[in-house]
Amino acid sequence: MSSYRANTAKSKGTASRGLSVFLRLGELTCAAIVVGVVGRLFYLVDQGGSIDPNPRLVYTMVIAGLTILFSLFFMPPLAYAFWAFPIDFFFFVAWLVAFIALETLSGYGACDGWWFNNYWGYYWGRWYTVGPVGINVNWTGCGSWRTVLAFSFVACFLHLLSFFLGLYWTFEYGMIRTRTQNMFRRRWGRGGKQNGVGPSAATATAPATMSGTNSGVAAPGSYPGPHGISPA
């Protein structure tokens, strides 16, 4: 029965490690796509030479770049990758903020708003070589813009799953309860007092103090009688 439980726990741990690698690959892919598409826009904006990159897009690029580094570092299916679940929660919030910030730029994913026509579509289609801002861009770059929105949301969702997976693994296989109990036992002892000086420690030392062999005092029953004859 114990071997069956051990094999079951081992199989569950292997499944968690495999799922962790899958989620890290997904996070890496999403971040790389966002970096590639937004980086392409930044290049076109630089070629236009009239305005600076949008701050919300810069924020998204920074989060995507950090996600690439984070995913590569924590991709190996080792224990430290699961203990990083607080960082996964941070990236979940960061990607959620990025998605909402980008979504509100174009009017919740629309490809015909003022910002899209005069910024994303305008520079993505190199319309600056044709005329000034305000011309009809004919939905140029709509697919690339929606790609950024979609993969930003997917990256947010994947980090949320990694957070729950890491939280589950640390409680199921990380032995948090056992380690906490051992820590308190080493520090406070079983009797509840620090350094093991408690009722259990006092009880353990009591026989040593009453022993005639250790203290030089004769044990009970070894004293001679009134006439020098020891009691039987």
Side-chain angles (χ1 to χ4, degrees):
M1 188 67 180
S2 59
S3 61
Y4 172 76
R5 292 181 178 177
N7 293 331
T8 303
K10 183 177 180 180
S11 62
K12 289 182 179 179
T14 303
S16 299
R17 294 174 189 273
L19 182 58
S20 175
V21 174
F22 175 77
L23 292 175
R24 297 301 181 200
L25 284 173
E27 294 161 6
L28 176 64
T29 302
C30 292
I33 292 175
V34 171
V35 167
V37 176
V38 179
R40 171 65 178 174
L41 177 73
F42 284 173
Y43 169 77
L44 296 174
V45 169
D46 182 69
Q47 292 295 310
S50 59
I51 60 174
D52 295 328
N54 186 277
R56 300 188 186 187
L57 293 175
V58 174
Y59 168 80
T60 304
M61 281 285 285
V62 171
I63 296 301
L66 293 176
T67 299
I68 292 176
L69 297 177
F70 173 78
S71 300
L72 288 175
F73 183 76
F74 289 98
M75 188 174 296
L78 302 176
Y80 75 94
F82 297 99
W83 288 99
F85 66 90
I87 307 179
D88 281 304
F89 185 78
F90 164 78
F91 276 105
F92 159 70
V93 175
W95 275 109
L96 182 62
V97 172
F99 172 75
I100 295 175
L102 297 179
E103 186 78 7
T104 55
L105 271 177
S106 60
Y108 301 99
C111 293
D112 54 359
W114 184 92
W115 181 86
F116 180 85
N117 289 326
N118 295 277
Y119 189 90
W120 186 276
Y122 180 77
Y123 287 98
W124 188 267
R126 295 178 181 268
W127 289 101
Y128 53 83
T129 61
V130 178
V133 173
I135 64 176
N136 185 8
V137 301
N138 298 321
W139 287 37
T140 303
C142 183
S144 60
W145 173 243
R146 289 180 174 176
T147 297
V148 172
L149 293 178
F151 282 99
S152 297
F153 178 79
V154 173
C156 171
F157 182 71
L158 290 177
H159 280 288
L160 181 62
L161 292 180
S162 293
F163 166 74
F164 283 119
L165 178 63
L167 197 64
Y168 163 78
W169 190 92
T170 52
F171 276 94
E172 186 71 17
Y173 306 106
M175 298 182 296
I176 289 182
R177 296 179 181 177
T178 304
R179 294 181 180 182
T180 304
Q181 291 175 357
N182 292 338
M183 180 185 68
F184 278 101
R185 286 175 180 175
R186 287 194 302 267
R187 181 173 178 82
W188 299 101
R190 295 180 181 273
K193 294 187 178 181
Q194 193 171 6
N195 297 327
V197 181
S200 60
T203 305
T205 57
T209 57
M210 297 297 294
S211 175
T213 57
N214 295 332
S215 60
V217 180
S222 62
Y223 293 99
H227 299 290
I229 302 174
S230 301

